[in-house]
Amino acid sequence: MSTLTSSPPKKLTDRIKSTALHSSIDLTILPFHTQALESISALSSTTPTPLPDFSNATRIDTHTHPIPPWFRALEPLAAGRATPEWNLSSHLEFMASHGIRKSVLAVSTPHANAFMSERDEGLRKRKTVALARLLNEYVAQIHRLYPERFAWMAITPLPYVHEAIAEARYALEDLGASGMCVLTNHEGVYPGDESFDDLWGYLQGRAEMGGGRQVVFVHPTEPVVRVEGVGYVASRPSPLRSGLGEFYFETARAISSLTACKTLTKFSNLHWRISHGAGAFPDISERFLLGFSDESDEARRAYKSRFWYDSAGPVFPNQVKGLTEGMKVPVSQLVFGTDYPYGIGFWDVDVNIAGLADADFLSEEEKEMVYWRNAEGLWGDKILA
């Protein structure tokens, strides 16, 4: 849990600079670092205004994204669409109007991997590490401002594993993150890759010491390949933007990676929060598992007990049956998500939510499980203010 409380703006920015320096992180490597620090400082000096009416709100939204203005300027496109604008007041209004009492925040793609065209690997690494720290400090400040409305998942500077472990430790122990968020690939490296094992081992150790679990949110991103002399470039085979389908295939690749490389069996205290109802994985799962007969039984058990799939859509009422009917995943593993604000303008959020609300194959008790009970069971007091 966080050991930090709200601080005066200058004290906060001094603390961020000092802890970064102590961690050998050079924030000044980013040309927008002053703007980023000022935006965090502005959050710290915000006086919480009267909130919208949350008296009838019960839902927990497990898939939402904050977008600092400097991050939006850095990444003006998201999966081929304009990156949406975001602010706290609009997010709170959205929550209240849709019966959401708490949102779990996680920075969306590309996380800190915003410098893949940088040919100098050392410079790319330093920028990635610095951006991860600034993004985590920003989201942590939102949580400190409204702890009863927001929990959050920290990001890391993967694929730089040593630095990722250091950032995970800082975010979980000092900033109060409720878990970690990783992308389906980081500079082309998928989460089951053996090079990531030290990170998973660190999280496994925390889970064992705490007698519980560690939650890892897996979010889709662009597939990439390294081109010598150029850097990393998008490798999607379709001319269509990634949000229309490639993200679903990326999600399937990530789950396949975790399975094939035995990450699921090696780190049994990690619980995996999977985006968009597991994307394309339900359609390929049986064929894929034919190639991993020694792991298939244990993998199927994990899919039904340590994987948690959100409804950010459109998952209900049709796609979800690939999980519930095809893979026999119980309703206890389904959680509610909206993908706010990225989903706005892509799909009708009200229709997306109605797909779950009107699902005739779920009882009212089961819908309540999806809306909030399962999320409470997954995170426990890590998201309960």
Side-chain angles (χ1 to χ4, degrees):
M1 300 300 291
S2 174
T3 59
L4 301 176
T5 56
S6 295
S7 304
K10 185 178 186 307
K11 186 176 180 180
L12 173 62
T13 54
D14 286 347
R15 195 255 319 151
I16 293 172
K17 292 176 183 178
S18 175
T19 54
L21 185 62
H22 181 73
S23 301
S24 300
I25 298 173
D26 179 12
L27 299 180
T28 66
I29 197 76
L30 302 175
F32 52 85
H33 77 279
T34 299
Q35 182 185 359
L37 291 171
E38 288 174 350
S39 72
I40 299 168
S41 175
L43 283 174
S44 74
S45 61
T46 298
T47 302
T49 56
L51 294 174
D53 182 9
F54 283 92
S55 58
N56 295 318
T58 59
R59 299 167 179 171
I60 297 176
D61 190 345
T62 68
H63 188 150
T64 69
H65 302 296
I67 308 172
W70 40 273
F71 184 68
R72 183 172 183 265
L74 180 66
E75 290 292 328
L77 294 179
R81 296 174 66 227
T83 300
E85 294 187 21
W86 176 93
N87 61 65
L88 262 176
S89 60
S90 294
H91 197 152
L92 289 164
E93 290 287 350
F94 170 82
M95 290 168 63
S97 66
H98 291 87
I100 298 165
R101 64 180 163 99
K102 191 147 210 171
S103 289
V104 182
L105 299 167
V107 173
S108 189
T109 178
H111 280 196
N113 298 133
F115 311 104
M116 287 191 287
S117 62
E118 174 58 64
R119 300 182 189 183
D120 184 323
E121 185 170 352
L123 185 56
R124 185 171 68 251
K125 178 179 177 179
R126 291 167 62 199
K127 289 181 176 180
T128 302
V129 170
L131 181 55
R133 175 57 59 90
L134 287 175
L135 287 169
N136 284 334
E137 293 282 9
Y138 184 91
V139 186
Q141 189 59 36
I142 297 170
H143 167 67
R144 285 194 289 271
L145 190 60
Y146 292 108
E148 74 286 1
R149 297 297 163 217
F150 296 106
W152 67 291
M153 306 291 280
I155 67 166
T156 73
L158 285 173
Y160 309 106
V161 176
H162 176 77
E163 291 76 11
I165 294 170
E167 190 64 24
R169 181 180 291 111
Y170 176 65
L172 292 167
E173 296 181 5
D174 295 328
L175 295 183
S178 297
M180 306 308 300
C181 179
V182 301
L183 297 173
T184 48
N185 81 81
H186 290 267
E187 294 189 9
V189 183
Y190 285 81
D193 194 275
E194 190 176 273
S195 64
F196 287 2
D197 277 5
D198 284 351
L199 174 60
W200 307 141
Y202 163 71
L203 295 176
Q204 174 80 8
R206 281 185 57 87
E208 291 171 349
M209 289 176 58
R213 62 182 60 158
Q214 286 291 310
V215 182
V216 182
F217 179 28
V218 181
H219 192 279
T221 192
E222 292 268 6
V224 298
V225 293
R226 182 181 176 87
V227 177
E228 193 65 34
V230 175
Y232 292 90
V233 297
S235 64
R236 63 182 184 276
S238 168
L240 302 175
R241 59 184 178 84
S242 291
L244 293 176
E246 187 59 37
F247 273 17
Y248 274 34
F249 300 126
E250 267 292 292
T251 301
R253 293 181 191 113
I255 299 173
S256 301
S257 170
L258 292 168
T259 305
C261 299
K262 302 184 181 180
T263 306
L264 303 185
T265 56
K266 287 187 287 188
F267 307 104
S268 58
N269 285 62
L270 302 189
H271 285 242
W272 304 90
R273 259 287 294 110
I274 307 296
S275 300
H276 307 300
F281 189 72
D283 283 343
I284 70 164
S285 61
E286 289 303 310
R287 183 181 179 93
F288 166 76
L289 288 172
L290 290 175
F292 301 92
S293 56
D294 291 343
E295 290 79 40
S296 60
D297 288 346
E298 189 159 0
R300 287 188 178 94
R301 286 192 290 272
Y303 301 152
K304 298 174 185 177
S305 61
R306 290 194 289 116
F307 277 56
W308 306 71
Y309 312 89
D310 71 50
S311 63
V315 171
F316 283 87
N318 298 318
Q319 181 193 333
V320 71
K321 294 178 182 178
L323 287 169
T324 57
E325 297 179 11
M327 294 176 61
K328 307 302 181 186
V329 170
V331 174
S332 61
Q333 302 307 117
L334 307 180
V335 293
F336 176 65
T338 65
D339 208 357
Y340 182 85
Y342 287 84
I344 303 299
F346 183 24
W347 60 71
D348 186 320
V349 172
D350 292 327
V351 172
N352 188 51
I353 295 174
L356 168 56
D358 299 337
D360 58 10
F361 51 89
L362 295 180
S363 68
E364 290 306 310
E365 181 180 356
E366 287 174 323
K367 292 174 186 176
E368 189 176 77
M369 290 168 62
V370 180
Y371 276 132
W372 63 274
R373 289 192 184 277
N374 292 343
E376 285 193 347
L378 170 59
W379 276 289
D381 60 6
K382 291 179 181 177
I383 64 167
L384 300 178

